[in-house]
PDB file of all heavy atoms in Angstrom:
ATOM      1  N   HIS A 298      15.090 -17.096  -4.570  1.00 86.00           N
ATOM      2  CA  HIS A 298      14.691 -16.653  -5.901  1.00 86.00           C
ATOM      3  C   HIS A 298      13.334 -15.970  -5.852  1.00 86.00           C
ATOM      4  O   HIS A 298      12.617 -15.958  -6.868  1.00 86.00           O
ATOM      5  CB  HIS A 298      14.669 -17.802  -6.906  1.00 86.00           C
ATOM      6  CG  HIS A 298      15.999 -18.532  -6.980  1.00 86.00           C
ATOM      7  ND1 HIS A 298      17.140 -18.008  -7.513  1.00 86.00           N
ATOM      8  CD2 HIS A 298      16.350 -19.797  -6.529  1.00 86.00           C
ATOM      9  CE1 HIS A 298      18.146 -18.869  -7.417  1.00 86.00           C
ATOM     10  NE2 HIS A 298      17.694 -19.977  -6.821  1.00 86.00           N
ATOM     11  N   LEU A 299      12.949 -15.411  -4.727  1.00 86.00           N
ATOM     12  CA  LEU A 299      11.745 -14.602  -4.648  1.00 86.00           C
ATOM     13  C   LEU A 299      12.138 -13.123  -4.865  1.00 86.00           C
ATOM     14  O   LEU A 299      13.072 -12.663  -4.227  1.00 86.00           O
ATOM     15  CB  LEU A 299      11.049 -14.797  -3.301  1.00 86.00           C
ATOM     16  CG  LEU A 299       9.696 -14.097  -3.117  1.00 86.00           C
ATOM     17  CD1 LEU A 299       8.661 -14.769  -4.000  1.00 86.00           C
ATOM     18  CD2 LEU A 299       9.255 -14.151  -1.678  1.00 86.00           C
ATOM     19  N   PRO A 300      11.453 -12.420  -5.739  1.00 88.00           N
ATOM     20  CA  PRO A 300      11.839 -11.014  -5.946  1.00 88.00           C
ATOM     21  C   PRO A 300      11.786 -10.230  -4.644  1.00 88.00           C
ATOM     22  O   PRO A 300      10.948 -10.490  -3.772  1.00 88.00           O
ATOM     23  CB  PRO A 300      10.744 -10.523  -6.905  1.00 88.00           C
ATOM     24  CG  PRO A 300      10.292 -11.757  -7.639  1.00 88.00           C
ATOM     25  CD  PRO A 300      10.400 -12.867  -6.637  1.00 88.00           C
ATOM     26  N   ARG A 301      12.710  -9.280  -4.508  1.00 86.00           N
ATOM     27  CA  ARG A 301      12.864  -8.594  -3.245  1.00 86.00           C
ATOM     28  C   ARG A 301      11.578  -7.768  -2.929  1.00 86.00           C
ATOM     29  O   ARG A 301      11.183  -7.639  -1.730  1.00 86.00           O
ATOM     30  CB  ARG A 301      14.057  -7.645  -3.322  1.00 86.00           C
ATOM     31  CG  ARG A 301      14.443  -7.098  -1.925  1.00 86.00           C
ATOM     32  CD  ARG A 301      15.774  -6.427  -1.901  1.00 86.00           C
ATOM     33  NE  ARG A 301      16.139  -6.075  -0.538  1.00 86.00           N
ATOM     34  CZ  ARG A 301      16.801  -6.862   0.306  1.00 86.00           C
ATOM     35  NH1 ARG A 301      17.175  -8.055  -0.116  1.00 86.00           N
ATOM     36  NH2 ARG A 301      17.051  -6.462   1.533  1.00 86.00           N
ATOM     37  N   PHE A 302      10.952  -7.225  -3.923  1.00 88.00           N
ATOM     38  CA  PHE A 302       9.720  -6.473  -3.704  1.00 88.00           C
ATOM     39  C   PHE A 302       8.640  -7.364  -3.075  1.00 88.00           C
ATOM     40  O   PHE A 302       8.000  -7.006  -2.094  1.00 88.00           O
ATOM     41  CB  PHE A 302       9.230  -5.857  -5.010  1.00 88.00           C
ATOM     42  CG  PHE A 302       8.065  -4.965  -4.886  1.00 88.00           C
ATOM     43  CD1 PHE A 302       8.186  -3.620  -4.612  1.00 88.00           C
ATOM     44  CD2 PHE A 302       6.745  -5.468  -5.016  1.00 88.00           C
ATOM     45  CE1 PHE A 302       7.104  -2.783  -4.464  1.00 88.00           C
ATOM     46  CE2 PHE A 302       5.677  -4.654  -4.872  1.00 88.00           C
ATOM     47  CZ  PHE A 302       5.832  -3.303  -4.595  1.00 88.00           C
ATOM     48  N   ALA A 303       8.488  -8.572  -3.680  1.00 89.00           N
ATOM     49  CA  ALA A 303       7.474  -9.505  -3.139  1.00 89.00           C
ATOM     50  C   ALA A 303       7.886 -10.034  -1.764  1.00 89.00           C
ATOM     51  O   ALA A 303       7.028 -10.209  -0.872  1.00 89.00           O
ATOM     52  CB  ALA A 303       7.321 -10.678  -4.112  1.00 89.00           C
ATOM     53  N   GLY A 304       9.194 -10.258  -1.543  1.00 88.00           N
ATOM     54  CA  GLY A 304       9.633 -10.724  -0.240  1.00 88.00           C
ATOM     55  C   GLY A 304       9.410  -9.665   0.829  1.00 88.00           C
ATOM     56  O   GLY A 304       8.975  -9.998   1.960  1.00 88.00           O
ATOM     57  N   ALA A 305       9.656  -8.398   0.520  1.00 88.00           N
ATOM     58  CA  ALA A 305       9.411  -7.310   1.480  1.00 88.00           C
ATOM     59  C   ALA A 305       7.914  -7.220   1.831  1.00 88.00           C
ATOM     60  O   ALA A 305       7.536  -7.078   2.970  1.00 88.00           O
ATOM     61  CB  ALA A 305       9.922  -5.990   0.959  1.00 88.00           C
ATOM     62  N   ALA A 306       7.083  -7.336   0.791  1.00 90.00           N
ATOM     63  CA  ALA A 306       5.642  -7.267   1.025  1.00 90.00           C
ATOM     64  C   ALA A 306       5.184  -8.447   1.880  1.00 90.00           C
ATOM     65  O   ALA A 306       4.338  -8.253   2.770  1.00 90.00           O
ATOM     66  CB  ALA A 306       4.896  -7.260  -0.313  1.00 90.00           C
ATOM     67  N   MET A 307       5.753  -9.618   1.617  1.00 91.00           N
ATOM     68  CA  MET A 307       5.338 -10.813   2.390  1.00 91.00           C
ATOM     69  C   MET A 307       5.743 -10.674   3.872  1.00 91.00           C
ATOM     70  O   MET A 307       4.958 -10.972   4.789  1.00 91.00           O
ATOM     71  CB  MET A 307       5.972 -12.048   1.778  1.00 91.00           C
ATOM     72  CG  MET A 307       5.564 -13.360   2.468  1.00 91.00           C
ATOM     73  SD  MET A 307       6.331 -14.791   1.686  1.00 91.00           S
ATOM     74  CE  MET A 307       5.665 -14.618   0.029  1.00 91.00           C
ATOM     75  N   VAL A 308       6.984 -10.216   4.119  1.00 90.00           N
ATOM     76  CA  VAL A 308       7.449 -10.066   5.524  1.00 90.00           C
ATOM     77  C   VAL A 308       6.645  -9.012   6.249  1.00 90.00           C
ATOM     78  O   VAL A 308       6.257  -9.215   7.421  1.00 90.00           O
ATOM     79  CB  VAL A 308       8.974  -9.766   5.507  1.00 90.00           C
ATOM     80  CG1 VAL A 308       9.444  -9.397   6.879  1.00 90.00           C
ATOM     81  CG2 VAL A 308       9.763 -10.953   4.976  1.00 90.00           C
ATOM     82  N   ILE A 309       6.419  -7.854   5.627  1.00 89.00           N
ATOM     83  CA  ILE A 309       5.660  -6.802   6.290  1.00 89.00           C
ATOM     84  C   ILE A 309       4.229  -7.260   6.553  1.00 89.00           C
ATOM     85  O   ILE A 309       3.666  -7.041   7.644  1.00 89.00           O
ATOM     86  CB  ILE A 309       5.664  -5.525   5.433  1.00 89.00           C
ATOM     87  CG1 ILE A 309       7.058  -4.921   5.380  1.00 89.00           C
ATOM     88  CG2 ILE A 309       4.658  -4.514   5.971  1.00 89.00           C
ATOM     89  CD1 ILE A 309       7.552  -4.376   6.715  1.00 89.00           C
ATOM     90  N   ALA A 310       3.629  -7.954   5.569  1.00 89.00           N
ATOM     91  CA  ALA A 310       2.257  -8.439   5.765  1.00 89.00           C
ATOM     92  C   ALA A 310       2.196  -9.468   6.881  1.00 89.00           C
ATOM     93  O   ALA A 310       1.241  -9.497   7.683  1.00 89.00           O
ATOM     94  CB  ALA A 310       1.715  -9.025   4.481  1.00 89.00           C
ATOM     95  N   LEU A 311       3.201 -10.338   6.975  1.00 90.00           N
ATOM     96  CA  LEU A 311       3.226 -11.350   8.032  1.00 90.00           C
ATOM     97  C   LEU A 311       3.343 -10.723   9.383  1.00 90.00           C
ATOM     98  O   LEU A 311       2.639 -11.099  10.346  1.00 90.00           O
ATOM     99  CB  LEU A 311       4.380 -12.321   7.776  1.00 90.00           C
ATOM    100  CG  LEU A 311       4.581 -13.414   8.816  1.00 90.00           C
ATOM    101  CD1 LEU A 311       3.295 -14.301   8.895  1.00 90.00           C
ATOM    102  CD2 LEU A 311       5.784 -14.265   8.492  1.00 90.00           C
ATOM    103  N   LEU A 312       4.249  -9.748   9.528  1.00 86.00           N
ATOM    104  CA  LEU A 312       4.420  -9.046  10.802  1.00 86.00           C
ATOM    105  C   LEU A 312       3.175  -8.319  11.216  1.00 86.00           C
ATOM    106  O   LEU A 312       2.714  -8.384  12.370  1.00 86.00           O
ATOM    107  CB  LEU A 312       5.590  -8.083  10.707  1.00 86.00           C
ATOM    108  CG  LEU A 312       5.894  -7.261  11.987  1.00 86.00           C
ATOM    109  CD1 LEU A 312       6.228  -8.161  13.151  1.00 86.00           C
ATOM    110  CD2 LEU A 312       7.046  -6.279  11.711  1.00 86.00           C
ATOM    111  N   PHE A 313       2.546  -7.614  10.255  1.00 84.00           N
ATOM    112  CA  PHE A 313       1.323  -6.869  10.561  1.00 84.00           C
ATOM    113  C   PHE A 313       0.201  -7.831  10.955  1.00 84.00           C
ATOM    114  O   PHE A 313      -0.608  -7.565  11.861  1.00 84.00           O
ATOM    115  CB  PHE A 313       0.893  -6.061   9.344  1.00 84.00           C
ATOM    116  CG  PHE A 313      -0.225  -5.115   9.593  1.00 84.00           C
ATOM    117  CD1 PHE A 313      -0.007  -3.896  10.198  1.00 84.00           C
ATOM    118  CD2 PHE A 313      -1.505  -5.444   9.232  1.00 84.00           C
ATOM    119  CE1 PHE A 313      -1.059  -3.010  10.478  1.00 84.00           C
ATOM    120  CE2 PHE A 313      -2.598  -4.569   9.458  1.00 84.00           C
ATOM    121  CZ  PHE A 313      -2.336  -3.370  10.073  1.00 84.00           C
ATOM    122  N   SER A 314       0.131  -9.018  10.312  1.00 87.00           N
ATOM    123  CA  SER A 314      -0.890 -10.006  10.648  1.00 87.00           C
ATOM    124  C   SER A 314      -0.652 -10.569  12.046  1.00 87.00           C
ATOM    125  O   SER A 314      -1.628 -10.789  12.782  1.00 87.00           O
ATOM    126  CB  SER A 314      -0.849 -11.144   9.604  1.00 87.00           C
ATOM    127  OG  SER A 314      -1.103 -10.638   8.309  1.00 87.00           O
ATOM    128  N   LEU A 315       0.596 -10.821  12.421  1.00 84.00           N
ATOM    129  CA  LEU A 315       0.870 -11.322  13.762  1.00 84.00           C
ATOM    130  C   LEU A 315       0.465 -10.334  14.838  1.00 84.00           C
ATOM    131  O   LEU A 315      -0.137 -10.691  15.850  1.00 84.00           O
ATOM    132  CB  LEU A 315       2.343 -11.670  13.895  1.00 84.00           C
ATOM    133  CG  LEU A 315       2.849 -12.895  13.090  1.00 84.00           C
ATOM    134  CD1 LEU A 315       4.355 -13.042  13.217  1.00 84.00           C
ATOM    135  CD2 LEU A 315       2.151 -14.164  13.553  1.00 84.00           C
ATOM    136  N   VAL A 316       0.788  -9.032  14.620  1.00 80.00           N
ATOM    137  CA  VAL A 316       0.424  -8.028  15.579  1.00 80.00           C
ATOM    138  C   VAL A 316      -1.114  -7.920  15.680  1.00 80.00           C
ATOM    139  O   VAL A 316      -1.686  -7.843  16.792  1.00 80.00           O
ATOM    140  CB  VAL A 316       1.035  -6.666  15.200  1.00 80.00           C
ATOM    141  CG1 VAL A 316       0.521  -5.561  16.121  1.00 80.00           C
ATOM    142  CG2 VAL A 316       2.532  -6.756  15.304  1.00 80.00           C
ATOM    143  N   SER A 317      -1.799  -7.950  14.518  1.00 81.00           N
ATOM    144  CA  SER A 317      -3.251  -7.856  14.541  1.00 81.00           C
ATOM    145  C   SER A 317      -3.876  -9.048  15.197  1.00 81.00           C
ATOM    146  O   SER A 317      -4.873  -8.952  15.938  1.00 81.00           O
ATOM    147  CB  SER A 317      -3.767  -7.676  13.110  1.00 81.00           C
ATOM    148  OG  SER A 317      -3.215  -6.533  12.480  1.00 81.00           O
ATOM    149  N   ALA A 318      -3.332 -10.231  14.955  1.00 81.00           N
ATOM    150  CA  ALA A 318      -3.884 -11.474  15.526  1.00 81.00           C
ATOM    151  C   ALA A 318      -3.713 -11.457  17.041  1.00 81.00           C
ATOM    152  O   ALA A 318      -4.615 -11.878  17.801  1.00 81.00           O
ATOM    153  CB  ALA A 318      -3.196 -12.704  14.927  1.00 81.00           C
ATOM    154  N   ALA A 319      -2.552 -10.951  17.529  1.00 75.00           N
ATOM    155  CA  ALA A 319      -2.349 -10.868  18.995  1.00 75.00           C
ATOM    156  C   ALA A 319      -3.327  -9.913  19.619  1.00 75.00           C
ATOM    157  O   ALA A 319      -3.920 -10.185  20.677  1.00 75.00           O
ATOM    158  CB  ALA A 319      -0.927 -10.460  19.291  1.00 75.00           C
ATOM    159  N   ALA A 320      -3.561  -8.753  18.982  1.00 75.00           N
ATOM    160  CA  ALA A 320      -4.525  -7.798  19.509  1.00 75.00           C
ATOM    161  C   ALA A 320      -5.950  -8.359  19.471  1.00 75.00           C
ATOM    162  O   ALA A 320      -6.728  -8.187  20.405  1.00 75.00           O
ATOM    163  CB  ALA A 320      -4.464  -6.496  18.700  1.00 75.00           C
ATOM    164  N   TRP A 321      -6.282  -9.101  18.427  1.00 79.00           N
ATOM    165  CA  TRP A 321      -7.607  -9.696  18.287  1.00 79.00           C
ATOM    166  C   TRP A 321      -7.822 -10.787  19.322  1.00 79.00           C
ATOM    167  O   TRP A 321      -8.890 -10.923  19.913  1.00 79.00           O
ATOM    168  CB  TRP A 321      -7.833 -10.241  16.898  1.00 79.00           C
ATOM    169  CG  TRP A 321      -9.150 -10.867  16.676  1.00 79.00           C
ATOM    170  CD1 TRP A 321      -9.500 -12.202  16.761  1.00 79.00           C
ATOM    171  CD2 TRP A 321     -10.372 -10.171  16.357  1.00 79.00           C
ATOM    172  NE1 TRP A 321     -10.831 -12.368  16.502  1.00 79.00           N
ATOM    173  CE2 TRP A 321     -11.401 -11.164  16.239  1.00 79.00           C
ATOM    174  CE3 TRP A 321     -10.682  -8.842  16.155  1.00 79.00           C
ATOM    175  CZ2 TRP A 321     -12.707 -10.814  15.906  1.00 79.00           C
ATOM    176  CZ3 TRP A 321     -11.997  -8.511  15.831  1.00 79.00           C
ATOM    177  CH2 TRP A 321     -12.977  -9.503  15.705  1.00 79.00           C
ATOM    178  N   GLY A 322      -6.758 -11.542  19.629  1.00 71.00           N
ATOM    179  CA  GLY A 322      -6.874 -12.623  20.621  1.00 71.00           C
ATOM    180  C   GLY A 322      -7.052 -12.116  22.048  1.00 71.00           C
ATOM    181  O   GLY A 322      -7.628 -12.788  22.885  1.00 71.00           O
ATOM    182  N   LEU A 323      -6.573 -10.889  22.301  1.00 69.00           N
ATOM    183  CA  LEU A 323      -6.709 -10.319  23.660  1.00 69.00           C
ATOM    184  C   LEU A 323      -7.910  -9.390  23.792  1.00 69.00           C
ATOM    185  O   LEU A 323      -8.076  -8.753  24.834  1.00 69.00           O
ATOM    186  CB  LEU A 323      -5.451  -9.519  24.002  1.00 69.00           C
ATOM    187  CG  LEU A 323      -4.172 -10.355  24.153  1.00 69.00           C
ATOM    188  CD1 LEU A 323      -2.959  -9.429  24.319  1.00 69.00           C
ATOM    189  CD2 LEU A 323      -4.279 -11.313  25.338  1.00 69.00           C
ATOM    190  N   ARG A 324      -8.737  -9.314  22.775  1.00 72.00           N
ATOM    191  CA  ARG A 324      -9.852  -8.332  22.812  1.00 72.00           C
ATOM    192  C   ARG A 324     -10.839  -8.714  23.898  1.00 72.00           C
ATOM    193  O   ARG A 324     -11.432  -7.815  24.539  1.00 72.00           O
ATOM    194  CB  ARG A 324     -10.529  -8.301  21.436  1.00 72.00           C
ATOM    195  CG  ARG A 324     -11.402  -9.520  21.141  1.00 72.00           C
ATOM    196  CD  ARG A 324     -11.915  -9.506  19.716  1.00 72.00           C
ATOM    197  NE  ARG A 324     -12.901 -10.559  19.492  1.00 72.00           N
ATOM    198  CZ  ARG A 324     -12.577 -11.856  19.316  1.00 72.00           C
ATOM    199  NH1 ARG A 324     -11.317 -12.261  19.368  1.00 72.00           N
ATOM    200  NH2 ARG A 324     -13.544 -12.751  19.139  1.00 72.00           N
ATOM    201  N   ASP A 325     -11.077 -10.019  24.158  1.00 69.00           N
ATOM    202  CA  ASP A 325     -12.002 -10.402  25.204  1.00 69.00           C
ATOM    203  C   ASP A 325     -11.550  -9.954  26.602  1.00 69.00           C
ATOM    204  O   ASP A 325     -12.347  -9.465  27.404  1.00 69.00           O
ATOM    205  CB  ASP A 325     -12.222 -11.929  25.190  1.00 69.00           C
ATOM    206  CG  ASP A 325     -12.927 -12.376  23.896  1.00 69.00           C
ATOM    207  OD1 ASP A 325     -13.669 -11.551  23.311  1.00 69.00           O
ATOM    208  OD2 ASP A 325     -12.767 -13.555  23.519  1.00 69.00           O
ATOM    209  N   ASP A 326     -10.242 -10.143  26.858  1.00 66.00           N
ATOM    210  CA  ASP A 326      -9.701  -9.706  28.158  1.00 66.00           C
ATOM    211  C   ASP A 326      -9.835  -8.203  28.355  1.00 66.00           C
ATOM    212  O   ASP A 326     -10.216  -7.694  29.427  1.00 66.00           O
ATOM    213  CB  ASP A 326      -8.237 -10.155  28.312  1.00 66.00           C
ATOM    214  CG  ASP A 326      -8.122 -11.620  28.517  1.00 66.00           C
ATOM    215  OD1 ASP A 326      -9.125 -12.264  28.817  1.00 66.00           O
ATOM    216  OD2 ASP A 326      -6.986 -12.153  28.379  1.00 66.00           O
ATOM    217  N   PHE A 327      -9.527  -7.445  27.309  1.00 67.00           N
ATOM    218  CA  PHE A 327      -9.633  -5.985  27.411  1.00 67.00           C
ATOM    219  C   PHE A 327     -11.085  -5.555  27.554  1.00 67.00           C
ATOM    220  O   PHE A 327     -11.412  -4.644  28.319  1.00 67.00           O
ATOM    221  CB  PHE A 327      -8.996  -5.329  26.171  1.00 67.00           C
ATOM    222  CG  PHE A 327      -7.516  -5.211  26.246  1.00 67.00           C
ATOM    223  CD1 PHE A 327      -6.722  -6.148  25.615  1.00 67.00           C
ATOM    224  CD2 PHE A 327      -6.903  -4.193  26.940  1.00 67.00           C
ATOM    225  CE1 PHE A 327      -5.318  -6.057  25.685  1.00 67.00           C
ATOM    226  CE2 PHE A 327      -5.548  -4.067  27.001  1.00 67.00           C
ATOM    227  CZ  PHE A 327      -4.747  -5.018  26.355  1.00 67.00           C
ATOM    228  N   SER A 328     -12.009  -6.228  26.836  1.00 71.00           N
ATOM    229  CA  SER A 328     -13.410  -5.886  26.965  1.00 71.00           C
ATOM    230  C   SER A 328     -13.929  -6.193  28.384  1.00 71.00           C
ATOM    231  O   SER A 328     -14.675  -5.391  28.962  1.00 71.00           O
ATOM    232  CB  SER A 328     -14.226  -6.658  25.931  1.00 71.00           C
ATOM    233  OG  SER A 328     -13.824  -6.339  24.602  1.00 71.00           O
ATOM    234  N   ALA A 329     -13.501  -7.317  28.926  1.00 68.00           N
ATOM    235  CA  ALA A 329     -13.888  -7.677  30.306  1.00 68.00           C
ATOM    236  C   ALA A 329     -13.359  -6.649  31.320  1.00 68.00           C
ATOM    237  O   ALA A 329     -14.026  -6.274  32.255  1.00 68.00           O
ATOM    238  CB  ALA A 329     -13.474  -9.073  30.644  1.00 68.00           C
ATOM    239  N   ALA A 330     -12.105  -6.247  31.095  1.00 65.00           N
ATOM    240  CA  ALA A 330     -11.503  -5.282  32.021  1.00 65.00           C
ATOM    241  C   ALA A 330     -12.210  -3.930  31.937  1.00 65.00           C
ATOM    242  O   ALA A 330     -12.455  -3.277  32.968  1.00 65.00           O
ATOM    243  CB  ALA A 330     -10.023  -5.080  31.699  1.00 65.00           C
ATOM    244  N   ILE A 331     -12.594  -3.514  30.744  1.00 70.00           N
ATOM    245  CA  ILE A 331     -13.347  -2.216  30.616  1.00 70.00           C
ATOM    246  C   ILE A 331     -14.718  -2.348  31.247  1.00 70.00           C
ATOM    247  O   ILE A 331     -15.201  -1.387  31.895  1.00 70.00           O
ATOM    248  CB  ILE A 331     -13.402  -1.843  29.119  1.00 70.00           C
ATOM    249  CG1 ILE A 331     -12.015  -1.508  28.581  1.00 70.00           C
ATOM    250  CG2 ILE A 331     -14.359  -0.658  28.939  1.00 70.00           C
ATOM    251  CD1 ILE A 331     -11.993  -1.239  27.110  1.00 70.00           C
ATOM    252  N   ALA A 332     -15.351  -3.516  31.110  1.00 67.00           N
ATOM    253  CA  ALA A 332     -16.663  -3.708  31.716  1.00 67.00           C
ATOM    254  C   ALA A 332     -16.604  -3.692  33.242  1.00 67.00           C
ATOM    255  O   ALA A 332     -17.591  -3.340  33.915  1.00 67.00           O
ATOM    256  CB  ALA A 332     -17.258  -5.012  31.222  1.00 67.00           C
ATOM    257  N   GLU A 333     -15.448  -4.007  33.812  1.00 65.00           N
ATOM    258  CA  GLU A 333     -15.300  -4.057  35.272  1.00 65.00           C
ATOM    259  C   GLU A 333     -14.900  -2.689  35.853  1.00 65.00           C
ATOM    260  O   GLU A 333     -14.759  -2.581  37.081  1.00 65.00           O
ATOM    261  CB  GLU A 333     -14.243  -5.082  35.650  1.00 65.00           C
ATOM    262  CG  GLU A 333     -14.689  -6.525  35.506  1.00 65.00           C
ATOM    263  CD  GLU A 333     -15.837  -6.863  36.462  1.00 65.00           C
ATOM    264  OE1 GLU A 333     -15.813  -6.359  37.598  1.00 65.00           O
ATOM    265  OE2 GLU A 333     -16.708  -7.630  36.075  1.00 65.00           O
TER     266      GLU A 333
END
């Protein structure tokens, strides 16, 4: 019983947040690799 518009926004926001969190979690490894 969640409106489809709100459900679509929630799913897209969750997916975008997961991708951003994964990129943020690996930022230290990428920074260290660039420094090397």
Side-chain angles (χ1 to χ4, degrees):
H298 305 291
L299 185 69
R301 193 168 186 90
F302 185 88
M307 183 180 299
V308 170
I309 291 293
L311 178 61
L312 179 61
F313 188 80
S314 301
L315 290 176
V316 174
S317 301
W321 181 263
L323 294 173
R324 74 188 189 283
D325 293 336
D326 287 346
F327 279 97
S328 299
I331 293 174
E333 288 294 324

